[in-house]
Amino acid sequence: MSQPHYVLTLSCTNRPGIVAAVSTHLFESGCNILDAQQFDDTESNCFFMRVVFNPLNGAPTLEELRQSFSQVAERFSMAWTMRDRAEKRRVMILVSKFDHCLVDLLYRRRLGELPMDLVAVVANHPRETYGSLDFDGAAFHHLPVTKETKLEQETRLWELVRETGAEVVVLARYMQVLSDGLAAKLAGRCINIHHSFLPGFKGAKPYHQAHARGVKVIGATAHYVTSDLDEGPIIEQDVERISHRDTPDDLVRKGRDIERRVLARALRYHLEDRVILNGQRTVVFTD
Amino acid sequence: MSQPHYVLTLSCTNRPGIVAAVSTHLFESGCNILDAQQFDDTESNCFFMRVVFNPLNGAPTLEELRQSFSQVAERFSMAWTMRDRAEKRRVMILVSKFDHCLVDLLYRRRLGELPMDLVAVVANHPRETYGSLDFDGAAFHHLPVTKETKLEQETRLWELVRETGAEVVVLARYMQVLSDGLAAKLAGRCINIHHSFLPGFKGAKPYHQAHARGVKVIGATAHYVTSDLDEGPIIEQDVERISHRDTPDDLVRKGRDIERRVLARALRYHLEDRVILNGQRTVVFTD
Amino acid sequence: MSQPHYVLTLSCTNRPGIVAAVSTHLFESGCNILDAQQFDDTESNCFFMRVVFNPLNGAPTLEELRQSFSQVAERFSMAWTMRDRAEKRRVMILVSKFDHCLVDLLYRRRLGELPMDLVAVVANHPRETYGSLDFDGAAFHHLPVTKETKLEQETRLWELVRETGAEVVVLARYMQVLSDGLAAKLAGRCINIHHSFLPGFKGAKPYHQAHARGVKVIGATAHYVTSDLDEGPIIEQDVERISHRDTPDDLVRKGRDIERRVLARALRYHLEDRVILNGQRTVVFTD
Amino acid sequence: MSQPHYVLTLSCTNRPGIVAAVSTHLFESGCNILDAQQFDDTESNCFFMRVVFNPLNGAPTLEELRQSFSQVAERFSMAWTMRDRAEKRRVMILVSKFDHCLVDLLYRRRLGELPMDLVAVVANHPRETYGSLDFDGAAFHHLPVTKETKLEQETRLWELVRETGAEVVVLARYMQVLSDGLAAKLAGRCINIHHSFLPGFKGAKPYHQAHARGVKVIGATAHYVTSDLDEGPIIEQDVERISHRDTPDDLVRKGRDIERRVLARALRYHLEDRVILNGQRTVVFTD
């Protein structure tokens, strides 16, 4: 794909003429719409849109397009972003002992499934926990944490986010609860994978809870982190059928597969600007 | 299938020799095992088994088999049942305004998918609610209910269960909560369909709860009724993927499909002696 | 929904400015876009779009809108339709001995899931095959067929289509192959349900074929009928997991559930103008 | 699990008394049955069984058990195996350019999901194709192949199988067709992953075929290799929903996820003695 592809996302109060204004502006700026998805939430009267387009010959630069589009945006009081699809987001991954999600994300990145620039892997366990795992040049940081040192550890974590310019933070089975303060700073750009089909089985040891309750299907949930534990806006969920024969250990094993595909999908949707927040929920323009 | 097929189910504390004792007894009684499934719950140390067998020429009658098997059962302190598969269970269906589950069960019965003898349809809405629906000769009873008349209505319901000899009671989207007393009388033989993926979204209007929470998958749950609302042992669950585009009304529509297949499966499992209670959970020997 | 909702579908060769032209035209005609989905097939360079919109106060009538839109359509050489969502399509259902799909469609229509006007049920089996089934006032026609009378039967069938003004013909497990001539006359508006996951197991007795091959998943396929048997454009497919324990009869039973949900979905998509042909394939704008 | 667990699998012509004979023999040998699954194929009149058991104190050794069980087996003309679950099978993995299945199998092995002893990784591409991939000490062999050198390459492959004592050969997206001769030598112990939902889309480029046909669901199939290409007994299949928006490249990406979970499941079933051949089909005793 030698030609640049830009992605525009926007949300605003709904009213007639938005699509016409956006598409006419792009057309008159010499751009061709390749894909567009929209959603009109009739409950909240909010309008959401994602447009992929490419500039034709002689079209303005991304900066010029942003400049000129800001007038359309202002007219409709839009919240909006416009990015070059080739521009990779800077991502930091946090992990604890279980590394199946981390391994999966690293492999998908190598395959080109996840357009991201991995700036750091941060763990509360030492480097040797992850054996010969290849971080592809990303820095590894061991930030151990105890109840007493949580404040200091989070302070260091936040510094790392700032130093590395991380735009997205992924909790890839990071078994520590972020403080309200840090959750607030990372609002809308910190993705967690919870190993249950939320809102069922919040909190600790969800597979053991699921086994005790005798459910016939288990799942995993990727969501944005908020100060309200396991209550953040859901990006993606998936499930798998189980039976009475499955022990909690079997659920942990089956769950690993669900967790890694759910987190990978959610992260890809986020990196490709497919997710827009809609209050406590999300609009996800899937492919 | 002109030859009789018998189904034996049993549960007991696990110890060596159960399978040998059961299979040897059946063999020496002139019976041939057609299918057998077992489960050894290592947590509770309970053993569960379902055996389908047919008597060969000159084999004893079902009554004689029961008699002789009772000695094996006693030796291992088994809870057990032995039934002729051709003997249909007597079933009563309770329904409220929404009749999609009722219609589905009636149709599956007509096709031969559900081996049951429908002894009554009971509704808290009048007959005309169900239009030209054909109950295949089953009696229809209109038992309206208000907060004030609940006791009387349940008394009449229980009389109907006894008069008709109903062995199984199905709450096919019956929108009334059974009293603890009635739930206790029907323990282990009253199946409810809850229109959510339990334990998520207990109580009223689960599809609206699901929409408000922004989940990406919805489901339905068939369970035995207990005095603890929406907490009874789960027999079957299934799910379907949704998106931000789905309104609560869309969820209701998609949910109808999930509800009817989940309830039909759970009822069939029960009618075919595939479900054995294991404390607050179930063992389901699926086909 | 007292306000009218109109649905516009269109396809044409892709070139810059289509979305702008369509949305600006609707906006300037006093209409508000409620939903829009588009697809740009980069292989064939075809563009597809579906727009749901409502006229604001004082807006032109549907006829006037069609008139004025035809100029936009001409400019881009569009194939297009514009319909009032409240205007129900006239549907004829063809059925043979197995009536599970028929029963399901009738019930969903009664619930309001399928916006259609049922003009006739046609069967090659006599009325009593369908017992006390309630066609909700639709005429029933018994058109028996043998190898010798196929031409006459199809001639009568075609007359019925014309007399009733049927716009859509549904083969709801109609076990006769339409002649090339009739298939051609019904091109793009005749939907069949095939009881396999196409392209696997074309032709007769697909469940027996599936059992013989030992597959672990079975499925059903709804497609437009073409003269090339089981090769028409696919609208919808779904599957279910099976095991070695399933006999061909079990597959038939499990398949019934898949067939009815796949056919119902495909028909609903068609009735709601969500399906656009793209050569031998379909574009389906799902909800 | 410090106590040994043994797994018995058997198949034979069905006749009364098999379960009784097997379970009684195990009981009298001082063994306790932990799990047993059986299947009675009424078409072929074959009986299949898998029993997991552990010897109680003072029980005979595995060798003694094999010795004594051989008499039971002889009586019923059984094909049978009896193994210690702790005894890992020796596995060789063959791979071509795409390494997603290889990477996944290596990772699952490290996690303990796949009880196997990896004796070699063989590729028709050089070592650097797999970058920094860690084979955990397994030998890597580069065996390039052309039409002209196929015979020599397969001869060397077969020598490797013999030298390493490989009991199982996994074609983890190995893009070469084995000759009939080699396929015959590896009958029943060579597992391939085909990137389509067989029997649909046999042969080359199945995702491109699927895209051209316009299917709405894609899948993958793990099967034993036979001389009849893509026709061997199926062990496991799974699928995923797609849409008109998916390009062939999208199908390749989505397919990778299906392929790796299908191959991993099939291999695990094989390694845990859960698969028994039944003519051109398989009996799979899942957990």
Side-chain angles (χ1 to χ4, degrees):
Chain A
M1 187 192 332
S2 55
Q3 221 185 7
H5 280 59
Y6 300 147
V7 183
L8 167 68
T9 68
L10 62 91
S11 61
C12 60
T13 300
N14 196 19
R15 67 180 219 228
I18 303 173
V19 182
V22 171
S23 55
T24 302
H25 177 83
L26 290 175
F27 179 60
E28 292 178 349
S29 306
C31 295
N32 182 34
I33 296 181
L34 298 165
D35 187 28
Q37 289 180 276
Q38 60 174 81
F39 171 60
D40 175 7
D41 185 344
T42 52
E43 267 175 69
S44 64
N45 199 32
C46 279
F47 178 84
F48 303 85
M49 195 172 193
R50 177 184 188 266
V51 186
V52 182
F53 61 96
N54 64 342
L56 301 174
N57 295 336
T61 64
L62 180 59
E63 205 32 63
E64 288 166 334
L65 281 165
R66 275 181 181 142
Q67 202 83 34
S68 65
F69 186 77
S70 68
Q71 290 160 31
V72 180
E74 204 166 318
R75 181 143 55 98
F76 292 92
S77 304
M78 291 170 177
W80 65 286
T81 65
M82 189 185 290
R83 296 174 63 250
D84 187 336
R85 221 154 72 167
E87 214 182 277
K88 291 180 183 174
R89 284 238 176 71
R90 299 171 71 78
V91 176
M92 174 184 288
I93 299 179
L94 271 60
V95 67
S96 291
K97 198 177 157 200
F98 302 119
D99 64 1
H100 52 281
C101 284
L102 171 64
V103 168
D104 190 64
L105 295 179
L106 288 170
Y107 185 66
R108 289 181 195 271
R109 173 172 163 267
R110 217 166 297 157
L111 282 179
E113 287 187 20
L114 292 171
M116 68 187 194
D117 194 1
L118 183 63
V119 296
V121 174
V122 177
N124 58 333
H125 290 262
R127 179 63 179 87
E128 53 266 32
T129 311
Y130 315 100
S132 60
L133 199 54
D134 179 357
F135 298 133
D136 286 322
F140 176 87
H141 301 271
H142 177 207
L143 297 189
V145 60
T146 62
K147 216 176 276 182
E148 287 70 34
T149 63
K150 190 179 174 91
L151 179 63
E152 288 77 6
Q153 197 249 15
E154 287 206 339
T155 303
R156 179 71 195 114
L157 207 49
W158 177 242
E159 280 172 12
L160 271 176
V161 169
R162 296 208 307 179
E163 285 165 23
T164 58
E167 297 160 277
V168 183
V169 173
V170 180
L171 309 190
R173 294 299 308 276
Y174 180 66
M175 305 303 278
Q176 301 294 319
V177 177
L178 298 193
S179 69
D180 289 6
L182 188 52
K185 280 178 197 297
L186 297 172
R189 57 191 182 110
C190 180
I191 299 173
N192 182 46
I193 179 76
H194 184 74
H195 41 316
S196 91
F197 184 75
L198 289 175
F201 310 125
K202 296 179 201 172
K205 291 202 163 263
Y207 292 125
H208 291 77
Q209 291 183 54
H211 182 258
R213 180 62 186 91
V215 292
K216 302 299 186 187
V217 178
I218 56 166
T221 305
H223 63 91
Y224 287 115
V225 171
T226 60
S227 62
D228 206 352
L229 190 64
D230 298 336
E231 289 286 357
I234 293 171
I235 305 169
E236 171 67 353
Q237 298 186 295
D238 206 349
V239 297
E240 216 154 286
R241 185 165 280 273
I242 58 162
S243 84
H244 60 266
R245 305 173 77 95
D246 287 300
T247 63
D249 281 353
D250 291 326
L251 301 191
V252 167
R253 171 174 55 80
K254 293 187 174 182
R256 276 196 295 259
D257 270 33
I258 316 175
E259 291 161 36
R260 44 186 214 169
R261 70 174 180 259
V262 167
L263 179 58
R265 272 189 219 141
L267 178 56
R268 188 169 64 82
Y269 292 156
H270 182 90
L271 294 174
E272 295 180 355
D273 296 287
R274 297 179 178 280
V275 192
I276 309 181
L277 278 169
N278 181 16
Q280 292 308 303
R281 291 176 292 163
T282 60
V283 172
V284 183
F285 293 121
T286 57
D287 49 353
Chain B
M1 188 192 330
S2 56
Q3 222 186 6
H5 279 60
Y6 300 146
V7 183
L8 167 69
T9 68
L10 62 91
S11 62
C12 60
T13 300
N14 196 19
R15 67 180 220 229
I18 303 174
V19 182
V22 170
S23 55
T24 301
H25 178 82
L26 290 175
F27 178 59
E28 292 178 348
S29 305
C31 295
N32 182 34
I33 295 179
L34 298 164
D35 186 28
Q37 290 179 275
Q38 60 174 79
F39 172 59
D40 175 8
D41 185 343
T42 51
E43 267 175 69
S44 64
N45 199 31
C46 279
F47 178 83
F48 302 86
M49 195 173 194
R50 178 183 186 264
V51 185
V52 182
F53 61 97
N54 64 342
L56 301 174
N57 294 337
T61 64
L62 180 59
E63 205 33 65
E64 289 166 334
L65 281 165
R66 273 180 182 144
Q67 202 82 34
S68 65
F69 186 77
S70 68
Q71 290 161 30
V72 179
E74 205 166 316
R75 182 141 57 96
F76 292 92
S77 305
M78 291 171 176
W80 64 286
T81 64
M82 191 186 288
R83 295 175 62 249
D84 186 337
R85 220 156 70 167
E87 213 182 277
K88 290 179 181 174
R89 284 240 175 69
R90 300 171 70 78
V91 175
M92 174 185 287
I93 299 178
L94 271 60
V95 68
S96 291
K97 199 178 157 199
F98 302 119
D99 64 1
H100 53 280
C101 284
L102 172 64
V103 167
D104 190 65
L105 295 180
L106 289 169
Y107 184 67
R108 287 180 195 271
R109 174 174 162 263
R110 216 167 297 156
L111 283 179
E113 286 187 20
L114 293 170
M116 70 185 191
D117 194 2
L118 183 63
V119 296
V121 174
V122 176
N124 58 334
H125 291 262
R127 179 63 178 87
E128 52 267 31
T129 312
Y130 314 101
S132 61
L133 199 54
D134 179 357
F135 298 134
D136 286 320
F140 176 87
H141 301 271
H142 176 208
L143 298 190
V145 60
T146 62
K147 216 176 277 183
E148 288 71 33
T149 64
K150 190 178 175 91
L151 180 63
E152 288 77 6
Q153 197 248 16
E154 286 207 341
T155 304
R156 180 70 196 113
L157 207 51
W158 177 241
E159 279 172 13
L160 272 175
V161 170
R162 295 207 307 179
E163 286 164 23
T164 58
E167 296 160 278
V168 184
V169 173
V170 179
L171 309 190
R173 293 298 309 274
Y174 180 66
M175 306 302 279
Q176 301 294 320
V177 177
L178 298 194
S179 69
D180 289 5
L182 189 52
K185 281 178 197 296
L186 297 172
R189 58 192 182 110
C190 180
I191 299 171
N192 182 48
I193 178 76
H194 184 74
H195 41 316
S196 91
F197 184 75
L198 289 175
F201 310 126
K202 297 179 200 175
K205 292 203 162 264
Y207 292 125
H208 291 76
Q209 291 183 54
H211 182 259
R213 181 62 186 91
V215 292
K216 301 300 185 188
V217 178
I218 57 166
T221 305
H223 62 91
Y224 287 115
V225 171
T226 60
S227 60
D228 206 352
L229 190 63
D230 298 336
E231 289 286 357
I234 293 171
I235 305 169
E236 172 67 355
Q237 298 186 294
D238 207 349
V239 297
E240 216 155 286
R241 187 165 278 273
I242 59 164
S243 84
H244 61 265
R245 304 174 77 95
D246 289 298
T247 63
D249 281 355
D250 291 326
L251 301 193
V252 167
R253 170 173 58 77
K254 293 187 173 181
R256 277 197 294 260
D257 271 33
I258 316 175
E259 292 162 35
R260 44 186 213 170
R261 70 173 180 260
V262 168
L263 180 57
R265 270 188 221 143
L267 179 56
R268 188 168 66 80
Y269 292 156
H270 182 90
L271 294 173
E272 295 180 356
D273 296 288
R274 295 179 179 281
V275 192
I276 309 180
L277 279 169
N278 181 17
Q280 293 308 304
R281 293 176 290 163
T282 61
V283 172
V284 183
F285 293 120
T286 56
D287 50 351
Chain C
M1 186 192 333
S2 56
Q3 221 185 5
H5 280 59
Y6 300 147
V7 183
L8 167 69
T9 69
L10 62 91
S11 61
C12 60
T13 299
N14 196 19
R15 67 181 221 229
I18 304 174
V19 181
V22 171
S23 57
T24 301
H25 177 82
L26 290 175
F27 179 59
E28 292 178 348
S29 304
C31 295
N32 182 35
I33 295 180
L34 298 165
D35 187 28
Q37 289 179 275
Q38 60 173 78
F39 171 60
D40 175 8
D41 185 344
T42 52
E43 268 175 68
S44 64
N45 198 31
C46 279
F47 178 84
F48 303 85
M49 195 174 193
R50 176 183 188 263
V51 185
V52 182
F53 61 98
N54 63 344
L56 301 174
N57 294 337
T61 65
L62 180 59
E63 205 32 65
E64 290 166 333
L65 281 166
R66 275 181 180 141
Q67 203 80 35
S68 64
F69 187 77
S70 67
Q71 290 161 29
V72 180
E74 205 165 317
R75 180 142 56 96
F76 292 92
S77 304
M78 291 172 178
W80 64 287
T81 65
M82 191 186 288
R83 297 174 61 250
D84 186 335
R85 219 155 72 167
E87 215 182 276
K88 290 179 182 176
R89 284 239 175 71
R90 299 171 72 77
V91 175
M92 174 183 289
I93 299 178
L94 270 62
V95 68
S96 290
K97 199 177 155 202
F98 301 118
D99 64 1
H100 54 279
C101 284
L102 172 65
V103 167
D104 190 65
L105 295 180
L106 289 169
Y107 184 67
R108 287 182 196 270
R109 173 173 165 264
R110 216 166 297 154
L111 282 180
E113 287 186 19
L114 293 170
M116 70 186 191
D117 194 0
L118 183 63
V119 296
V121 173
V122 177
N124 58 334
H125 291 263
R127 179 63 177 88
E128 52 267 30
T129 311
Y130 315 100
S132 59
L133 198 54
D134 179 357
F135 297 133
D136 286 321
F140 176 87
H141 300 272
H142 176 207
L143 296 190
V145 61
T146 63
K147 217 176 276 183
E148 289 70 33
T149 64
K150 189 178 176 89
L151 180 63
E152 289 78 6
Q153 197 247 18
E154 286 206 341
T155 304
R156 180 71 196 113
L157 207 50
W158 177 242
E159 280 172 12
L160 271 175
V161 169
R162 297 208 307 178
E163 286 165 23
T164 58
E167 295 160 279
V168 183
V169 173
V170 180
L171 309 190
R173 292 300 306 276
Y174 180 66
M175 305 302 280
Q176 301 294 320
V177 177
L178 298 193
S179 69
D180 288 5
L182 189 53
K185 282 178 196 296
L186 297 172
R189 58 192 181 110
C190 180
I191 299 172
N192 182 47
I193 178 77
H194 183 74
H195 41 316
S196 91
F197 183 76
L198 288 175
F201 312 125
K202 297 179 198 173
K205 290 201 164 266
Y207 292 125
H208 291 76
Q209 291 183 54
H211 183 259
R213 179 63 185 90
V215 292
K216 302 301 185 187
V217 177
I218 56 167
T221 305
H223 62 92
Y224 287 115
V225 172
T226 60
S227 60
D228 207 352
L229 189 64
D230 298 337
E231 288 286 357
I234 293 170
I235 305 168
E236 171 68 353
Q237 298 186 293
D238 206 350
V239 297
E240 216 154 286
R241 186 165 279 273
I242 59 164
S243 85
H244 61 265
R245 306 173 75 95
D246 288 298
T247 64
D249 282 355
D250 291 327
L251 301 192
V252 167
R253 170 174 57 78
K254 293 187 174 182
R256 276 197 295 261
D257 271 34
I258 315 175
E259 293 161 35
R260 45 186 213 170
R261 70 173 179 260
V262 167
L263 180 57
R265 269 187 221 142
L267 179 56
R268 187 168 65 80
Y269 292 155
H270 182 90
L271 294 173
E272 295 180 356
D273 296 288
R274 295 180 179 279
V275 192
I276 308 181
L277 278 169
N278 180 18
Q280 293 307 305
R281 292 176 292 163
T282 61
V283 171
V284 182
F285 292 121
T286 56
D287 50 351
Chain D
M1 187 192 331
S2 55
Q3 223 184 4
H5 280 59
Y6 300 147
V7 183
L8 167 69
T9 69
L10 62 93
S11 61
C12 59
T13 300
N14 196 18
R15 68 179 219 229
I18 304 173
V19 182
V22 171
S23 56
T24 301
H25 178 81
L26 290 175
F27 178 59
E28 292 180 347
S29 306
C31 295
N32 182 34
I33 295 181
L34 297 164
D35 187 26
Q37 289 180 275
Q38 61 173 80
F39 171 59
D40 174 9
D41 185 342
T42 52
E43 268 176 68
S44 64
N45 198 33
C46 280
F47 178 84
F48 303 85
M49 195 171 194
R50 177 183 187 267
V51 186
V52 182
F53 61 96
N54 63 343
L56 301 174
N57 293 337
T61 64
L62 180 59
E63 206 31 67
E64 289 165 334
L65 281 165
R66 275 181 181 143
Q67 201 83 33
S68 63
F69 187 77
S70 68
Q71 291 160 32
V72 179
E74 205 167 317
R75 181 143 57 96
F76 292 93
S77 305
M78 291 171 178
W80 64 286
T81 64
M82 190 184 290
R83 295 174 62 251
D84 186 337
R85 220 155 71 168
E87 215 182 276
K88 290 179 182 176
R89 284 237 175 72
R90 299 170 72 78
V91 176
M92 175 184 288
I93 298 179
L94 271 60
V95 68
S96 291
K97 198 176 156 202
F98 302 119
D99 64 1
H100 52 282
C101 285
L102 172 64
V103 167
D104 190 64
L105 295 180
L106 289 169
Y107 185 67
R108 287 181 196 271
R109 173 172 164 266
R110 216 166 298 156
L111 282 179
E113 286 188 20
L114 293 170
M116 69 187 193
D117 194 1
L118 183 63
V119 295
V121 173
V122 176
N124 57 334
H125 290 263
R127 179 63 178 87
E128 52 267 31
T129 312
Y130 314 100
S132 61
L133 199 53
D134 179 356
F135 298 134
D136 286 321
F140 176 86
H141 302 271
H142 176 207
L143 297 189
V145 62
T146 64
K147 218 176 275 181
E148 288 69 34
T149 64
K150 191 180 174 87
L151 180 63
E152 289 76 6
Q153 197 248 15
E154 286 206 340
T155 303
R156 179 72 195 114
L157 207 49
W158 176 242
E159 279 172 12
L160 271 176
V161 169
R162 295 208 308 179
E163 286 164 23
T164 58
E167 297 160 277
V168 184
V169 173
V170 180
L171 309 190
R173 294 299 307 276
Y174 180 66
M175 305 304 278
Q176 301 295 318
V177 177
L178 298 193
S179 69
D180 289 7
L182 188 54
K185 282 179 197 294
L186 296 173
R189 58 193 182 108
C190 180
I191 299 172
N192 182 46
I193 179 77
H194 184 73
H195 42 316
S196 91
F197 184 74
L198 290 175
F201 311 125
K202 295 179 201 173
K205 290 200 164 265
Y207 293 125
H208 291 77
Q209 292 183 54
H211 183 258
R213 179 64 187 91
V215 293
K216 301 302 185 187
V217 178
I218 56 166
T221 305
H223 63 90
Y224 287 116
V225 172
T226 60
S227 60
D228 206 352
L229 190 64
D230 297 337
E231 288 286 357
I234 294 170
I235 305 169
E236 172 68 353
Q237 298 186 295
D238 207 348
V239 297
E240 216 154 286
R241 185 165 280 273
I242 59 163
S243 84
H244 60 265
R245 304 173 77 95
D246 288 299
T247 63
D249 281 354
D250 291 326
L251 301 192
V252 167
R253 171 174 55 78
K254 293 187 175 184
R256 277 196 294 260
D257 271 33
I258 316 176
E259 292 161 37
R260 44 187 213 168
R261 70 174 180 259
V262 167
L263 179 58
R265 271 188 219 141
L267 179 56
R268 189 169 64 81
Y269 292 157
H270 182 90
L271 294 173
E272 295 180 354
D273 297 287
R274 296 179 178 280
V275 192
I276 309 180
L277 278 169
N278 181 17
Q280 293 307 304
R281 292 177 290 164
T282 61
V283 171
V284 182
F285 293 120
T286 56
D287 49 353

